[in-house]
Amino acid sequence: MIRTTCPYCGVGCGLQVAADGSITGDPDHPANFGRLCAKGAALAETLAIGDRLMFPEIGGRRAGWDEALDLVAARFRATAAEHGPDAIAFYVSGQFLTEDYYVANKLAKGFIGTGNIDTNSRLCMASSVMGHIRAFGEDIVPGCYEDIELADLAILVGSNAAWCHPVLYQRLAAARAAHGTRIVVIDPRRTASCEIADLHLALRPGGDVALFAGLLVYLADHAALDAAWIKDRTTGFAAALATARQTAPTIAATAALLDIPAADLARFYDWFATTERTLTLYSQGVNQSSAGTDKVNAIINCHLATGRIGRPGMGPLSLTGQPNAMGGREVGGLATQLAAHMSFARPADRERVARFWGAPALAARPGLPAVALFDAVRDGQVKALWVLGTNPAASMPRANRVRAALAGCPFVVVSDCWPSDTSRFAHVVLPAAGWGEKDGTVTNSERRISRQRAFRPAPGEARPDWWMLAEVARRLGWANAFSYRSAADIFREHAALSAFENDGARRFDIGALAELSDAEYDALAPVQWPVPRATSPPAPSLRLLGGAQGFPTADGRANFVPTPLRWPVEPPLAASRPLLLNTGRVRDQWHTMTRTGRVPRLLLHRGEPLFEMHPDDAEALGLHDGGLARVESRHGAAVMRIRFVADQRRGSVFAPMHWSDAFSSAGPIDALVGGATDPVSGQPELKATPVRVTAVETRWRGFLLRRRATPLAGAFYWARVPVAEGHAYDLAGWTPLSESLSDAWVGALLDAPRQAELIAFADPGRGAFRYARLVDGRLDACLFLAAEDAFLPDRRGLAAMLDAAVEGAARSQLLAGLPAGSLAGDDPGPIVCACFAVGLKTLQRAIANDRLTTLAELGRALRAGTNCGSCRPELGEILARHRVEASPHAREPAN
Ligand code: SF4
């Protein structure tokens, strides 16, 4: 049994990998105590080699490591010589292990001398980093996960934890069930997280600063401040309160500003004022904002005003999106930071880092944050770019502009595990060892450092990122400084730097880990920082900033920060783009789906990028639930499938961030998202892009089944999901099928080898066309098109036939769309429980027929919700909806 850590979200769940390859939650890991969500539970299914990058490539041809690394080093050397070090840039990843991150930063900032190394964590939690630094003097998360169980009031702000941090949500739900934790959700959307909420404040998008400014005013006006604590431990309260009063002078004014009922706002303020153990958990709805840092500080201000910080069950707790966003912060992963929580702004820090590394040319100034970095690539200031472990061509705002920048960049290196939207632009592709294939550490949202351990060999010639970075450094003449033999070597150096000339001024100190032997590093148990030298073993759960030590600021006091209100888009919205687009995650997918998009069952919950709108907004535009619509912003456009969602706030629309153009014609949604950034953190606004939506009439629909995935292009909509022996594409078009339908068009979609045999059927009167291609008598591809859904068979049965021998009567049955015995059983409907493939229709039938009323009964009857629990909020909603429909006067929480 090998213990390791989940590679997805910032919860940082511990895993156990058995000798047979099965993966379960680690019962001893303090993040999850054995729990996993659907994504974590499906990790074993992501390990197939498939189309992994296995060998270095130069210009699309296979190359050896030496040739590829020599070329990278030569081009970097020439670029620096001709244009200076700032013409070289790196764009790295919160998926990196800390050791990868450390080496990348040391090479870029210390030796090449460019500050231009930023990370996709800029898009994730840079605003939290800056909020912490402004308030506390250092990027410190004061609390820990144990506070979830100890809080009496838990506030989720801009966080759909039920889908994005599912295991923490499960801990919160369990705490509520055990001792009645009161829960408030602050989010423009009613999300799955609201299932266990006592109160949901569906505020106007971007109104968080006003809401917490109003809370600060309320605390001041209702004698709920901790005046002694403010006086002894903080500075700047009066200015922050004065600014808050300008924004939110009264409850009525604040409620009007936020467009929520004043009574609900007053209830929340009262609960906060009267509940000592109050925990505020916040995530991307706060961070991914052009006012993200102010939002963070508006929250922290209220905790400082009540002295509720760093003590059991209370404080602000930022939930990081990525598995190692926190580890990146420790090594200076952001372009604007130095390693080990040191700062470009302090000359002594720069000198200390340079001396520790023996760095010849430490970057003189911070580099460019992500959005500005890709602008610099586009403008030609950056001439050599190395992208590691991330996919900016799909995930960056204004993605089309980023693609143009990559296409125009003279030298692009991409290291990754799989081909991606970004690797298409690379001059050199380097195959990276992935999760389960390399060693290192990650740090989760509660500052807990956990080991990721290798449990399988890397395929082909794939290597860890730190190795390739060190090899390039060696070729550039810095062999001694990058002579690492292992991840353990790097970790020891990283730990030593954290303690180097650290007299306690920097709380990030893991000096006690600097002398770990290789065996001790290998066995390292999860541990929260700080772990300075010469301390007794740290407590199981560490809180910071609540004790007598004070804050790591110049005067030892925390700072209140005035937070004037700035809307992401000043109301009212222009009539030409009257809706605000919010982007975010769905339950079972991760980032741009390079890993989760390979697991059929993770696409059963959401198989395409649904564009969610309130039914009233949609119907006013003549849209149909399940129909197509064109969505346009200033930056791009996409045709998407519309989903009516009554929980969506009117005027706001939502689209998932995951689908790239490898999975759908509608991806990536970031092609539509603008490039506005927070002025303090540089984090882009991903939650409020003005868009216009217009109906698109569907003239035909259909599906394509293929053994091999293929890029599709044309004036039609498609979305791909993996199936057992291939890929299924749902298709829909808005031009007459007769305009598209030609032998060449059909041939391009089916794209089978020459020796393939084509079977075709056409009924032009009903607009129905069916094709199947057999290769060596086996079904290789089929294409079904029809003017109406009624003329399309259920594709599940045909999908099950892919790669099967088709002989005799089965050939005619094939085009009838009804392979013998393939559709036995009732249609399960859209899958809700991914672990046991339980669909909505199955649930509805069981609830109605067997009179099921509780989650426990559903679990016993269908197993739904009994494994990872990620679907339990939706199961609760389905039960509640059934109760309301059966008896319109009853709505009680399920348990
Ligand atoms: Fe992985 Fe899910 Fe745990 Fe996040 S909550 S670390 S995705 S298992």
Side-chain angles (χ1 to χ4, degrees):
M1 185 77 73
I2 292 178
R3 289 191 148 96
T4 186
T5 312
C6 176
Y8 295 126
C9 83
V11 178
C13 294
L15 305 170
Q16 300 180 133
V17 184
D20 65 1
S22 60
I23 296 174
T24 52
D26 180 350
D28 298 326
H29 196 288
N32 57 317
F33 298 108
R35 296 178 179 93
L36 292 180
C37 74
K39 293 186 287 289
L43 269 166
E45 294 155 65
T46 67
L47 296 176
I49 301 300
D51 57 343
R52 276 287 297 270
L53 296 169
M54 295 204 282
F55 305 99
E57 293 172 16
I58 298 173
R61 71 164 169 85
R62 180 172 166 180
W65 271 109
D66 279 338
E67 184 188 5
L69 295 170
D70 286 350
L71 177 61
V72 174
R75 292 295 297 261
F76 276 22
R77 184 184 292 111
T79 302
E82 192 175 344
H83 305 284
D86 289 345
I88 299 172
F90 295 75
Y91 188 62
V92 300
S93 171
Q95 318 280 297
F96 253 17
L97 302 184
T98 300
E99 291 75 2
D100 299 321
Y101 246 136
Y102 180 86
V103 177
N105 272 276
K106 181 177 174 181
L107 173 61
K109 290 182 182 144
F111 287 74
I112 293 175
T114 176
N116 288 335
I117 170 166
D118 211 43
T119 159
N120 62 11
S121 291
R122 179 74 60 184
L123 279 57
C124 171
M125 47 75 230
S127 296
S128 281
V129 172
M130 293 313 298
H132 291 154
I133 291 173
R134 290 204 303 187
F136 308 143
E138 187 176 338
D139 176 22
I140 292 172
V141 172
C144 55
Y145 293 166
E146 190 186 64
D147 292 328
I148 291 169
E149 280 87 26
L150 298 176
D152 294 318
L153 172 64
I155 307 161
L156 287 168
V157 191
S159 165
N160 181 10
W163 283 15
C164 305
H165 297 93
V167 164
L168 292 187
Y169 178 81
Q170 290 171 37
R171 287 179 65 163
L172 185 57
R176 184 177 193 270
H179 62 88
T181 312
R182 202 174 247 163
I183 295 170
V184 177
V185 173
I186 297 171
D187 196 315
R189 292 194 299 155
R190 181 183 162 81
T191 63
S193 299
C194 294
E195 258 320 289
I196 57 169
D198 298 277
L199 180 63
H200 171 213
L201 298 175
L203 77 176
R204 193 190 296 270
D208 312 71
V209 163
L211 190 142
F212 283 92
L215 176 57
L216 192 65
V217 171
Y218 183 92
L219 296 171
D221 292 349
H222 290 77
L225 301 173
D226 187 336
W229 204 86
I230 293 171
K231 178 169 172 290
D232 295 343
R233 308 286 300 275
T234 71
T235 189
F237 175 70
L241 180 61
T243 302
R245 282 196 193 284
Q246 286 171 7
T247 299
T250 64
I251 290 177
T254 312
L257 202 59
L258 299 174
D259 189 25
I260 55 177
D264 286 354
L265 190 61
R267 185 174 307 125
F268 166 60
Y269 286 175
D270 176 56
W271 288 352
F272 190 106
T274 56
T275 310
E276 174 78 350
R277 290 191 168 204
T278 291
L279 182 68
T280 306
L281 303 124
Y282 64 91
S283 190
Q284 313 306 30
V286 168
N287 291 326
Q288 291 178 335
S289 164
S290 51
T293 311
D294 280 350
K295 290 182 182 182
V296 171
N297 285 113
I299 292 168
I300 293 175
N301 282 347
C302 294
H303 281 274
L304 292 176
T306 47
R308 295 177 193 155
I309 201 155
R311 290 190 284 138
M314 63 187 81
L317 180 55
S318 145
L319 302 180
T320 50
Q322 299 195 81
N324 200 26
M326 184 74 84
R329 288 144 75 167
E330 293 160 10
V331 301
L334 294 159
T336 39
Q337 292 180 315
L338 280 179
H341 283 202
M342 286 182 266
S343 169
F344 276 106
R346 291 189 288 267
D349 282 1
R350 290 190 52 246
E351 187 275 332
R352 184 181 300 115
V353 174
R355 187 156 39 86
F356 180 87
W357 280 342
L362 193 86
R365 55 185 174 276
L368 297 169
V371 173
L373 182 68
F374 282 96
D375 281 349
V377 176
R378 191 195 60 151
D379 296 344
Q381 297 162 41
V382 168
K383 297 183 186 299
L385 173 69
W386 190 348
V387 178
L388 300 101
T390 184
N391 190 11
S395 58
M396 281 291 293
R398 299 182 304 190
N400 289 333
R401 188 164 142 137
V402 169
R403 289 172 188 219
L406 290 167
C409 185
F411 187 60
V412 177
V413 185
V414 170
S415 38
D416 213 328
C417 298
W418 284 284
S420 71
D421 315 75
T422 303
S423 65
R424 294 207 302 261
F425 297 96
H427 300 92
V428 177
V429 174
L430 302 175
W435 177 79
E437 299 159 359
K438 60 179 186 174
D439 278 303
T441 53
V442 290
T443 309
N444 71 5
S445 300
E446 63 164 353
R447 292 174 278 105
R448 193 176 298 278
I449 299 167
S450 296
R451 281 293 320 275
Q452 273 198 17
R453 296 182 173 90
F455 56 85
R456 64 201 302 260
E461 296 178 1
R463 298 280 185 275
D465 291 281
W466 67 259
W467 177 86
M468 31 185 125
L469 288 156
E471 283 294 311
V472 168
R474 192 169 64 77
R475 284 164 168 78
L476 289 170
W478 303 307
N480 285 343
F482 291 86
S483 60
Y484 309 113
R485 293 166 299 118
S486 66
D489 278 352
I490 303 165
F491 184 82
R492 284 186 285 264
E493 183 179 309
H494 160 57
L497 176 57
S498 77
F500 185 57
E501 298 177 357
N502 188 351
D503 57 1
R506 308 191 311 270
R507 300 291 163 85
F508 174 67
D509 183 344
I510 55 171
L513 307 179
E515 274 95 41
L516 292 180
S517 66
D518 285 359
E520 288 166 334
Y521 174 77
D522 202 36
L524 182 67
V527 59
Q528 277 180 297
W529 63 259
V531 261
R533 284 191 176 102
T535 51
S536 43
S541 287
L542 272 180
R543 294 174 187 84
L544 301 178
L545 306 178
Q549 193 182 6
F551 291 81
T553 54
D555 60 5
R557 292 165 171 266
N559 298 312
F560 282 94
V561 179
T563 56
L565 176 63
R566 282 180 295 110
W567 294 105
V569 183
E570 282 300 324
L573 291 176
S576 56
R577 295 189 194 89
L579 299 164
L580 271 189
L581 170 64
N582 175 11
T583 62
R585 300 186 196 280
V586 298
R587 194 188 74 190
D588 294 348
Q589 289 304 319
W590 178 255
H591 279 196
T592 57
M593 300 167 66
T594 46
R595 183 181 287 274
T596 49
R598 291 160 202 278
V599 182
R601 75 178 160 112
L602 292 182
L603 278 144
L604 294 174
H605 179 245
R606 291 280 189 280
E608 58 185 327
L610 298 172
F611 188 83
E612 299 186 355
M613 296 185 74
H614 191 281
D616 294 347
D617 284 342
E619 282 166 357
L621 295 169
L623 305 175
H624 307 290
D625 194 13
L628 298 179
R630 181 176 171 81
V631 185
E632 291 173 84
S633 75
R634 269 183 55 214
H635 312 283
V639 172
M640 303 186 72
R641 194 173 299 289
I642 299 295
R643 181 170 187 252
F644 285 15
V645 179
D647 292 338
Q648 189 67 40
R649 188 187 153 87
R650 288 209 62 182
S652 294
V653 291
F654 176 84
M657 59 173 276
H658 310 286
W659 274 262
S660 69
D661 49 14
F663 286 90
S664 173
S665 57
I669 194 66
D670 280 309
L672 277 67
V673 172
T677 56
D678 180 280
V680 181
S681 69
Q683 181 154 358
E685 171 69 69
L686 303 182
K687 301 289 187 185
T689 302
V691 294
R692 136 174 86 231
V693 181
T694 48
V696 170
E697 186 190 352
T698 304
R699 307 288 287 270
W700 56 269
R701 58 276 289 158
F703 59 81
L704 168 69
L705 300 168
R706 287 177 49 100
R707 291 270 295 117
R708 299 167 308 283
T710 186
L712 298 185
F716 59 92
Y717 170 86
W718 62 268
R720 171 171 71 89
V721 296
V723 294
E725 295 298 333
H727 303 267
Y729 296 77
D730 282 315
L731 312 172
W734 49 88
T735 55
L737 187 51
S738 56
E739 288 180 15
S740 301
L741 202 62
S742 66
D743 286 351
W745 189 77
V746 171
L749 288 185
L750 292 173
D751 183 26
R754 276 181 196 283
Q755 71 273 24
E757 176 190 355
L758 177 68
I759 310 173
F761 161 86
D763 181 351
R766 300 169 115 186
F769 300 87
R770 299 176 177 188
Y771 306 86
R773 275 200 193 265
L774 307 180
V775 175
D776 297 330
R778 308 179 87 83
L779 182 62
D780 185 71
C782 59
L783 173 65
F784 278 59
L785 305 168
E788 293 177 27
D789 282 338
F791 300 138
L792 283 176
D794 189 320
R795 72 165 155 77
R796 289 176 301 147
L798 283 158
M801 295 284 290
L802 273 179
D803 204 33
V806 184
E807 293 164 344
R811 292 167 77 93
S812 53
Q813 285 179 320
L814 193 63
L815 290 190
L818 292 170
S822 62
L823 287 181
D826 293 321
D827 175 10
I831 295 300
V832 177
C833 170
C835 294
F836 298 113
V838 185
L840 178 62
K841 290 183 183 174
T842 306
L843 290 162
Q844 288 168 332
R845 279 192 293 267
I847 291 168
N849 297 344
D850 302 336
R851 299 175 188 273
L852 306 180
T853 59
T854 66
L855 290 175
E857 288 172 353
L858 262 186
R860 277 194 294 275
L862 300 169
R863 301 175 73 198
T866 59
N867 186 37
C868 76
S870 300
C871 61
R872 289 170 70 86
E874 283 164 286
L875 296 176
E877 249 179 70
I878 294 164
L879 283 166
R881 217 178 303 136
H882 178 80
R883 266 196 300 275
V884 170
E885 283 161 10
S887 167
H889 305 297
R891 183 178 169 109
E892 292 163 9
N895 51 44

